[in-house]
Amino acid sequence: MKLLKKERKLLLEGKTKKIYTSDNPCEVIIHYKDDITSFNGLKKNVIPDKGILNNEITTFIFNLLNRYGIKTHFIRKMNNREQLCHKVNMFPLEFVVRNIVAGSISKRLGIKEGTPILNPIFEIFYKNDHLKDPLINDHHAVFLNVISHKELSNIYCIISNINNKLKKFFFDRNIILVDFKMEFGKGKKDNQIFLSDEISPDTCRFWDKETMNKLDKDIFRIGLKKEKIIDVYMEVLKRLNK
């Protein structure tokens, strides 16, 4: 008699993804939704097939990083919307790398958007919806008891490596990696640090190298139509596959 697989259970639902149990207690299934949000969730919409594209783009990039020897939670793509990933204990922190001034740092520091940053700036945001994900520093993060100085140092080394690899990779495909957000977690077995979440036009600022046109979620922030958003995400995927 053939044994039935365990019924999956929803573990967590975020703004753009759902996380389910899998048959292996050390692995989870991540499902990409079509929801799109900005301004800490104040602006929301549903873009048909966006989840499919983000799953495809993240799969491509995480496979690339795995080949570079950078540990990610990604195991394999299961279907057009889902990935099998290592189950990790997430740090409640978002790490942002800035290579060019854009978005909130431009407003915060009064520096013109598009200004190059010679030494990439690393920022930490505390993931807390009630507090609207405030910008914090290393000492705040350690004081909050969510991470240690040693873990931060390790993550910064990983971030620097990822940034260097991806900047060149995208530049060779006529895309400027302006800035991007990363999240990390610790493995269940040995506390190894894994790059987690996703890397996609939802979490990155991409500019076309020739025209400087936006190729990311900023086009949703400025109010362009759904069809244009899908076109832009498809263009990023097309360039990756080149």
Side-chain angles (χ1 to χ4, degrees), residues 1 5 11-12 21 34 45-46 55 64 89 116 128-129 134-135 147 158 171 178:
M1 181 178 174
K5 290 185 177 181
L11 293 173
L12 180 68
T21 57
D34 288 337
N45 210 326
V46 176
N55 181 26
L64 176 72
N89 292 316
N128 185 306
D129 288 339
L135 174 67
I147 199 167
I158 297 169
F171 195 78
V178 176

Side-chain angles (χ1 to χ4, degrees), residues 98-109:
R98 300 187 184 275
N99 298 307
I100 294 174
V101 172
S104 63
I105 194 171
S106 174
K107 298 172 185 175
R108 194 187 323 134
L109 300 181

Side-chain angles (χ1 to χ4, degrees), residues 214-216 219 227-236:
K214 299 177 188 297
L215 299 172
D216 56 69
I219 63 172
E227 296 80 8
K228 179 63 175 175
I229 295 168
I230 282 295
D231 287 346
V232 164
Y233 281 47
M234 288 180 69
E235 176 63 23
V236 172

